[in-house]
């Protein structure tokens, strides 16, 4: 089983619908992240959390919200989905500060969301 | 602000050819870390290497090698004797001491044909 699991892996929804993407991890890491991948733009950070009580906006948080239900769970919600939120979404974890000598991100397999 | 440029959008090679992926970065920080990640067709990004700004030694790991040159702000990645399994999207990324996030390049898609 994957250490970082995302559900659903694929989802098609309609404009205006609320959608939740879930992420759970078995790595025991405190730090969790949600990224969005768009062709030609690389990965952009939506939200991140360094522990259960800590939630921080990333560079593209508008239109999204998150919930850190437990150390192992970090959910991303689109309150009212719009077509330009069609993208591949990644959850990631890290044990240590990415600015440290051993910090690195561990990614889930991605959730492909299509908003019609 | 940090910026990472991967000018090559797509590269296609025949198996056993060498392929070099360019990564050029912009930062005002003197301390920073550079990363390469691989995204195979399955989708999950896989960490390949981290390099801190004080270590300009080149690194080799099997068929993979990295050339870090601060003078040209580049951290290029070479796959020697490419194989079909090397087909993937490769991302270069950077983080500085005051950053909360990695700044990713747009990625380079490598296709290795048999």
């Amino acid at each position: 089983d994957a250490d970082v699991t995302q559900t659903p892996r694929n989802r098609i929804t309609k404009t205006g619908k609320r959608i939740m993407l879930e992420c759970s991890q078995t790595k025991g890491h405190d730090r969790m992240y949600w990224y969005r991948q768009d062709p030609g733009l690389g990965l952009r950070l939506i939200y991140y959390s360094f522990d259960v009580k800590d939630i921080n906006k990333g560079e593209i948080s508008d239109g999204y919200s998150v919930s850190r239900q437990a150390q192992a769970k970090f959910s991303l919600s689109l309150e009212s989905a719009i077509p330009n939120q069609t993208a591949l979404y990644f959850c990631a974890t890290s044990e240590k500060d990415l600015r440290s000598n051993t910090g690195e991100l561990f990614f889930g397999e991605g959730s492909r969301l299509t908003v019609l | 602000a940090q910026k990472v440029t991967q000018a090559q959008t797509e590269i296609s090679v025949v198996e056993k050819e060498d392929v070099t992926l360019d990564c050029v970065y912009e930062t005002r920080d003197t301390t920073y870390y550079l990363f390469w990640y691989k995204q195979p067709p399955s989708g999950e990004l896989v960490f390949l290497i981290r390099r801190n700004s004080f270590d300009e030694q080149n690194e080799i790991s099997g068929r993979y090698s990295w050339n870090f040159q601060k003078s040209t702000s580049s951290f290029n990645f070479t796959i020697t004797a490419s194989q079909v399994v090397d087909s993937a999207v490769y991302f270069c990324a950077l983080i500085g001491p005051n950053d909360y996030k990695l700044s990713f390049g747009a990625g380079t898609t490598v296709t290795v044909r048999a």
Side-chain angles (χ1 to χ4, degrees), chain B residues 63-84:
Chain B
R63 296 182 297 105
Y64 294 172
S65 62
W66 290 268
N67 184 313
F68 176 32
Q69 293 195 343
K70 289 181 73 172
S71 61
T72 56
S73 296
S74 65
F75 186 41
N76 297 338
F77 172 35
T78 297
I79 303 172
T80 302
S82 60
Q83 299 176 1
V84 173

Side-chain angles (χ1 to χ4, degrees), chain A residues 9 33 35 37 40-43 45 48 50 57-59 88 90 98-105 107-109, chain B residues 9 33 35 37 39 42-47 50 52 89 91 95-107:
Chain A
R9 295 291 312 280
Y33 310 77
Y35 282 88
Q37 182 182 0
L41 294 178
L43 280 79
L45 183 64
Y48 63 103
F50 286 168
K57 293 183 178 180
E59 57 188 306
L88 184 57
F90 284 100
L98 297 177
R99 298 165 295 184
S100 70
N101 279 325
T102 54
E104 68 176 88
L105 289 170
F107 285 86
E109 295 174 311
Chain B
T9 304
Y33 289 93
F35 298 77
Y37 277 86
Q39 184 182 34
S42 60
E44 180 179 347
L45 281 87
V46 177
F47 168 81
R50 173 197 309 101
N52 76 54
V89 182
F91 291 97
I95 188 167
N98 299 313
D99 295 336
Y100 62 88
K101 65 176 182 69
L102 289 181
S103 295
F104 282 88

